[in-house]
Amino acid sequence: MATRAYILLASTILALAQVSAVTAIAAEDKSPGCAPGERIDGTTIESARAKFEKAGYRRVIALKKGCDSFWHGTATQDGQPIHVVLTPTGHVIVEGN
């Protein structure tokens, strides 16, 4: 009888450990404010700003990364403020184009 109880207890602990591992993996796939399964890439605000500046934009401000890993911000070009986007593949585009 004690052996059955031990086997049942060990099986329960193993099942709980597996559920915890799956939950931890799912948590890594989700960033705050994003839907489950959306993964934000590892780009930083500094690397995004550098890409915008390399593309000829100045005064790059208000950078925010979306759940889709696109960076959105405001910059100036030829003295005019514009909204810019950096795609996950590294392309710099004007917002709305």
Side-chain angles (χ1 to χ4, degrees), residues 66-97:
C67 292
D68 55 3
S69 295
F70 282 73
W71 282 94
H72 300 263
T74 303
T76 58
Q77 185 179 45
D78 300 326
Q80 299 298 312
I82 56 172
H83 297 284
V84 290
V85 177
L86 175 64
T87 69
T89 58
H91 293 94
V92 176
I93 56 176
V94 175
E95 183 95 46
N97 287 344

Side-chain angles (χ1 to χ4, degrees), residues 18-95:
Q18 289 173 340
V19 168
S20 296
V22 168
T23 303
I25 291 169
E28 289 176 11
D29 287 345
K30 184 176 183 282
S31 296
C34 297
E38 288 182 311
R39 296 186 68 125
I40 294 181
D41 66 19
T43 58
T44 64
I45 194 167
E46 292 84 11
S47 66
R49 180 172 281 113
K51 291 242 184 195
F52 284 119
E53 290 173 349
K54 184 176 180 183
Y57 297 97
R58 301 292 170 251
R59 295 190 196 120
V60 181
I61 59 169
L63 287 175
K64 292 185 127 186
K65 187 192 283 188
C67 292
D68 55 3
S69 295
F70 282 73
W71 282 94
H72 300 263
T74 303
T76 58
Q77 185 179 45
D78 300 326
Q80 299 298 312
I82 56 172
H83 297 284
V84 290
V85 177
L86 175 64
T87 69
T89 58
H91 293 94
V92 176
I93 56 176
V94 175
E95 183 95 46

Side-chain angles (χ1 to χ4, degrees), residues 4-26:
R4 283 188 192 173
Y6 177 76
I7 291 172
L8 181 61
L9 179 62
S11 297
T12 302
I13 290 172
L14 181 60
L16 289 173
Q18 289 173 340
V19 168
S20 296
V22 168
T23 303
I25 291 169

